[in-house]
Amino acid sequence: MKLLLMGPPGAGKGSQSKKLVEAYDLQSISTGEMFREAYKKGDPMGEKAMEYIRQGELVDDELTNRVVRERLSHERPDARFLLDGYPRTVNQARALDKILTEKGTRLTAVINIVVDKEVIIERMAGRRVCRQCAATYHTKFRPPRVENVCDACGGDLHQREDDKPASVRNRLNIYESKTRPIIDYYKGRGFLINIDGEQSFEKVFRDIQRALRDLT
Ligand code: ADP
Ligand code: AMP
């Protein structure tokens, strides 16, 4: 099984990805996480990516495609994985097709989490992330047991630089102009599943599970 999780920033991709990875025994491949990890390690690739990320811009296609190609080069054609946050441009979607075709494989399904703009803004404003283990919380919808302390590892919670209001607006505009067109790209290929993301964490997950069951 090879899944792709799509949706605007703040739609709940990371939250659902965590559950899907466990339930279906998938490797999680998140380009956003890969960039943040590389930056934390002082890797020049991470430093370069962070220059874009801080501004709420997309990292350039050339670098992003290279990182994904390298990551997937270690995988066998039958590898089970979930891509979260990649592709984000039609150019990246084409690059991914090429990588998978070269391996003699293809995506199983593209899950598109649909959420309205107002909901996204509220979700991103309240998102808090653990500095240590990257677990995600929300001040209102998923608060930690102790304020600003990660339930999982006791680490500090913080607001991502790119979740500040100026950057959020930019990211939403970029989503509309560069990422939304991918939906049509996949619709044309017949593996697009739209999921209503404006429901509880559990209901969104159940809907995804049901849609995946219907595929088989
Ligand atoms: P993405 O990975 O798509 O950017 P996240 O999974 O990080 O989105 O979710 C963004 C924020 O919204 C987080 O703070 C998360 O806790 C919250 N969130 C995600 N899904 C839901 C939901 N179904 N209901 C309420 N809040 C949610
Ligand atoms: P995410 O964790 O998926 O919200 O990604 C955080 C940021 O990393 C995005 O706002 C982009 O700046 C950058 N990024 C992540 N994935 C990609 C991608 N596929 N293409 C370009 N930029 C990306």
Side-chain angles (χ1 to χ4, degrees):
M1 178 182 268
K2 292 179 179 60
L3 299 179
L4 197 161
L5 201 50
M6 278 195 64
K13 299 182 294 296
S15 308
Q16 297 301 327
S17 141
K18 203 158 173 280
K19 290 151 95 74
L20 286 164
V21 160
E22 276 169 23
Y24 294 90
D25 188 24
L26 305 170
Q27 298 185 62
S28 163
I29 303 179
S30 154
T31 38
E33 274 306 312
M34 286 162 79
F35 292 143
R36 285 187 290 273
E37 276 300 309
Y39 176 74
K40 264 208 274 188
K41 286 192 197 135
D43 180 324
M45 179 279 276
E47 309 257 353
K48 178 98 198 94
M50 202 47 74
E51 288 170 22
Y52 296 92
I53 295 175
R54 276 198 202 95
Q55 314 290 322
E57 298 289 334
L58 290 185
V59 176
D60 75 82
D61 283 345
E62 211 267 321
L63 174 61
T64 308
N65 288 334
R66 186 148 35 90
V67 165
V68 173
R69 178 174 277 280
E70 157 67 17
R71 172 67 185 77
L72 291 180
S73 70
H74 307 299
E75 300 299 337
R76 293 168 26 157
D78 62 354
R80 301 166 61 80
F81 57 75
L82 180 142
L83 284 166
D84 161 8
Y86 179 90
R88 264 176 156 99
T89 64
V90 172
N91 182 320
Q92 292 180 12
R94 292 207 181 100
L96 175 63
D97 270 355
K98 188 154 181 279
I99 296 170
L100 295 178
T101 306
E102 282 167 15
K103 281 190 174 288
T105 185
R106 66 196 285 268
L107 291 171
T108 312
V110 175
I111 300 163
N112 180 38
I113 306 183
V114 181
V115 178
D116 216 58
K117 199 166 168 179
E118 281 66 45
V119 176
I120 290 171
I121 289 169
E122 190 181 13
R123 285 192 184 171
M124 285 205 275
R127 171 157 59 187
R128 297 292 180 271
V129 181
C130 176
R131 281 189 200 282
Q132 224 158 268
C133 75
T136 300
Y137 298 84
H138 192 282
T139 48
K140 185 162 143 198
F141 305 127
R142 178 163 275 178
R145 284 191 294 271
V146 179
E147 203 180 340
N148 288 324
V149 179
C150 178
D151 291 351
C153 76
D156 249 10
L157 302 188
H158 75 121
Q159 182 172 41
R160 273 167 48 170
E161 198 60 45
D162 59 344
D163 276 348
K164 308 252 159 91
S167 179
V168 166
R169 273 193 298 278
N170 197 21
R171 288 166 70 198
L172 285 175
N173 288 336
I174 289 174
Y175 173 79
E176 287 303 326
S177 61
K178 302 235 170 95
T179 308
R180 195 182 280 284
I182 301 184
I183 295 174
D184 285 334
Y185 178 87
Y186 285 121
K187 211 188 279 168
R189 283 164 173 71
F191 31 48
L192 187 75
I193 298 169
N194 285 313
I195 299 285
D196 176 4
E198 293 187 26
Q199 312 180 86
S200 68
F201 288 94
E202 292 71 25
K203 182 67 169 60
V204 174
F205 185 59
R206 280 202 300 277
D207 282 3
I208 296 176
Q209 282 187 303
R210 184 174 322 123
L212 291 177
R213 247 195 325 269
D214 290 347
L215 276 183
T216 52

